[in-house]
Amino acid sequence: MRGRGPALAVAAALAVTGASYGAQAGPQQAQPASRATTTSAVKPVAGTTCPVFPADNYWNADIRSLPVAARSSQWLSHMSTSVNLHPDFGPSFGNGPDYGIPITVVGSGHPRVRVRFDSQASGESDHVRYPLGSDTRIEGGARSTGDRHAIMVDKDACRLYETYLTRKRSGHWHAYSGATWSLTSDHLRPDTWTSADAAGLPILPGLLRWNEVRTHHVDHAIRFTTDVTSSHHLWPARHDAGSTSSRRYPPMGARFRLRSSYHPSGFGADAMAVVRAMKVYGLVLADNGSPWYFQGEQNAKWPDSMIEQLKQIPARAFVAVDTSSLKVSNSSGATR
């Protein structure tokens, strides 16, 4: 589970893989990039024709040519790089298809309801009517004691709604926080505002989705967590939830790239599609939680073999990259 509170303990000891990823010890060399430039290149949400933000959006930016961040070594030294990555979805820890963050697709006719937000985040939440109902799938289930994220996509308006700590009490919907975005716009939330995620970013674009993995077409960065973050954030993140002011710890919005020299053996095509995405688009630090847990949608079709293969990726095979050259505007997620 993820959260905004103190560091969470890793749920299980993760063995470091014996796979070699080359003799390269220094920063990864820049690779030529070929970034998508049209919205049509972005894989839509299953059951919709909606892009997950425009192709020029930060989440969809090819980062192979970006330089290693100046603080990469410092950040990584505080990020438990002796562990392997852990897919925070699919059949893991015996939780089966209930593990992961579900996505609910609705139409324009779905009833909208008011949501009562917790006082700590109400002023930073979007006070609109949300398409919540008995058909809404909530992370971990409605009675969960975990994060209870709810992600809803209006397929007609191509609008995204997300809530955190979602629950219904005495006939009223409640959440810690909530936010909404147009999936066809690069517009960001106001700086310093949270969302359903600690980084103030949308969750959906960072989730691995089965419809893209099964076609081996993962064209975006992937959301992940670590246990101790700094009380700072980097564009396009809007918010932070760190427990230390030291900039030696990673900030929300930090982006990490899997070294091109990492070549796993025995991985199937599905797992290799994820590995390629980690090299081309990378990982985005978006919340506090267990170190190197990366997120995907809740879906019963995730293959056991793929999940086990992804658990072999070593955290030490990553470097942080400097994304500052991508920024067009402080208020936009569009990239150069």
Side-chain angles (χ1 to χ4, degrees):
M1 291 190 299
R2 279 82 55 198
R4 290 160 174 73
L8 301 179
V10 178
L14 302 174
V16 176
T17 181
S20 171
Y21 55 91
Q24 178 178 342
Q28 181 178 359
Q29 296 299 309
Q31 303 291 320
S34 74
R35 188 175 305 152
T37 56
T38 62
T39 300
S40 61
V42 181
K43 189 79 170 177
V45 179
T48 81
T49 58
C50 300
V52 186
F53 296 103
D56 68 352
N57 190 268
Y58 171 87
W59 287 97
N60 305 319
D62 184 326
I63 62 168
R64 284 174 290 179
S65 64
L66 296 184
V68 173
R71 293 186 182 272
S72 177
S73 295
Q74 291 180 357
W75 294 346
L76 289 165
S77 70
H78 296 290
M79 294 178 67
S80 304
T81 52
S82 63
V83 305
N84 291 349
L85 270 62
H86 182 83
D88 205 9
F89 59 96
S92 188
F93 295 146
N95 289 321
D98 289 330
Y99 198 39
I101 302 179
I103 301 167
T104 303
V105 175
V106 303
S108 59
H110 193 284
R112 293 336 199 234
V113 300
R114 287 193 177 93
V115 179
R116 299 179 179 182
F117 297 110
D118 291 5
S119 59
Q120 304 96 309
S122 180
E124 298 174 14
S125 294
D126 291 331
H127 289 260
V128 300
R129 289 180 176 267
Y130 289 71
L132 288 160
S134 59
D135 58 336
T136 304
R137 301 168 65 203
I138 297 174
E139 181 187 14
R143 298 185 181 277
S144 168
T145 57
D147 285 358
R148 286 171 283 169
H149 288 113
I151 297 177
M152 299 144 283
V153 176
D154 181 334
K155 64 181 180 180
D156 298 319
C158 287
R159 177 158 286 277
L160 171 65
Y161 301 83
E162 297 183 350
T163 54
Y164 169 64
L165 290 184
T166 314
R167 67 271 189 197
K168 191 174 185 180
R169 299 287 185 270
S170 303
H172 298 284
W173 283 97
H174 297 256
Y176 177 85
S177 55
T180 180
W181 294 263
S182 167
L183 288 170
T184 61
S185 170
D186 288 316
H187 186 69
L188 297 174
R189 295 173 63 66
D191 196 23
T192 74
W193 279 31
T194 190
S195 61
D197 218 352
L201 295 169
I203 295 171
L204 176 65
L207 294 183
L208 282 171
R209 307 189 305 277
W210 173 238
N211 73 315
E212 59 184 8
V213 174
R214 70 179 179 84
T215 59
H216 310 146
H217 183 76
V218 182
D219 52 11
H220 60 83
I222 302 166
R223 173 189 188 270
F224 86 112
T225 63
T226 194
D227 55 351
V228 183
T229 58
S230 73
S231 54
H232 305 91
H233 58 275
L234 298 178
W235 172 90
R238 316 308 281 165
H239 186 261
D240 50 76
S243 57
T244 174
S245 61
S246 173
R247 293 185 182 271
R248 298 179 66 87
Y249 287 79
M252 290 296 169
R255 194 150 171 175
F256 295 80
R257 178 178 63 211
L258 182 58
R259 295 179 187 271
S260 61
S261 55
Y262 172 71
H263 299 294
S265 60
F267 279 27
D270 293 342
M272 285 305 298
V274 178
V275 168
R276 180 183 181 278
M278 291 180 176
K279 291 182 177 183
V280 176
Y281 304 100
L283 306 178
V284 176
L285 181 57
D287 206 347
N288 298 319
S290 297
W292 300 98
Y293 274 43
F294 64 100
Q295 283 72 50
E297 70 165 328
Q298 177 188 326
N299 194 308
K301 295 180 180 179
W302 289 117
D304 290 32
S305 58
M306 184 201 78
I307 297 298
E308 291 306 313
Q309 290 160 11
L310 294 177
K311 291 179 182 178
Q312 298 176 35
I313 302 172
R316 60 192 171 90
F318 283 81
V319 293
V321 296
D322 182 350
T323 59
S324 60
S325 64
L326 297 177
K327 184 168 65 173
V328 175
S329 166
N330 287 332
S331 61
S332 173
T335 60
R336 301 181 191 279

